[in-house]
Amino acid sequence: MDIISQLQEQVNAMALLTLNTFGTLQRDAPPVRLSPNYPEPAANASEETIDIMEHPKTMSAALVEAAKKFDVLVTALPLSGEEAQLKRIAELQAENEAVGLELQKQLEAAEKELKQVQELFNQAADYCLNLKKPD
């Protein structure tokens, strides 16, 4: 997998971690009274014993680790000057031209072979028709 694809995958992983972190924080947050006019919110007695203080720490640690991996991938990107990039582009264009010529030769050879096969098929069909003349 190339470096750009790895970066995209890492961004997706970070987005998923962030989404899960926010969702978990929303889910596990204790109820809060929004106004003195509202009654005191009831505590969730049926809730399993969840260590509310540990989940955010673990999830933020995972998010920081993902960000570090992203930084490592970014530093692995090739940093070359404009001259080097132009030289590489010229090399790739020359390689593309050579491959294009080779493909063109192969296409012409395949078309020639197809014509030969069609001619042989037509000859075979003619011979078969000539052998079975109507009575």
Side-chain angles (χ1 to χ4, degrees):
M1 185 183 302
D2 68 336
I3 191 78
I4 300 298
S5 297
Q6 289 176 356
L7 282 168
Q8 290 171 335
E9 288 293 320
Q10 193 61 33
V11 167
N12 288 342
M14 289 171 59
L16 183 63
L17 281 170
T18 303
L19 180 73
N20 286 338
T21 300
F22 290 153
T24 302
L25 289 174
Q26 274 185 321
R27 181 195 67 204
D28 295 344
V32 175
R33 184 197 285 183
L34 299 175
S35 166
N37 298 334
Y38 292 120
E40 193 67 36
N44 237 351
S46 66
E47 186 176 320
E48 296 177 14
T49 55
I50 298 176
D51 191 359
I52 295 175
M53 299 307 284
E54 283 301 313
H55 270 108
K57 290 178 184 175
T58 8
M59 297 187 102
S60 46
L63 190 57
V64 167
E65 186 63 33
K68 286 180 182 178
K69 286 181 185 177
F70 181 81
D71 289 341
V72 167
L73 288 171
V74 168
T75 56
L77 284 172
L79 298 176
S80 57
E82 188 175 344
E83 280 185 32
Q85 289 177 355
L86 291 174
K87 181 180 176 185
R88 179 68 177 143
I89 289 171
E91 290 171 359
L92 289 173
Q93 285 176 335
E95 181 181 336
N96 186 34
E97 189 69 30
V99 170
L101 291 173
E102 179 63 31
L103 286 174
Q104 186 63 35
K105 288 178 185 176
Q106 290 178 1
L107 176 64
E108 290 169 0
E111 287 174 346
K112 183 178 177 183
E113 188 174 342
L114 176 63
K115 285 181 184 178
Q116 290 175 346
V117 168
Q118 286 174 336
E119 287 175 13
L120 290 173
F121 178 78
N122 289 337
Q123 287 176 0
D126 287 343
Y127 290 145
C128 286
L129 290 175
N130 288 334
L131 290 176
K132 296 180 181 179
K133 290 184 180 180
D135 294 324

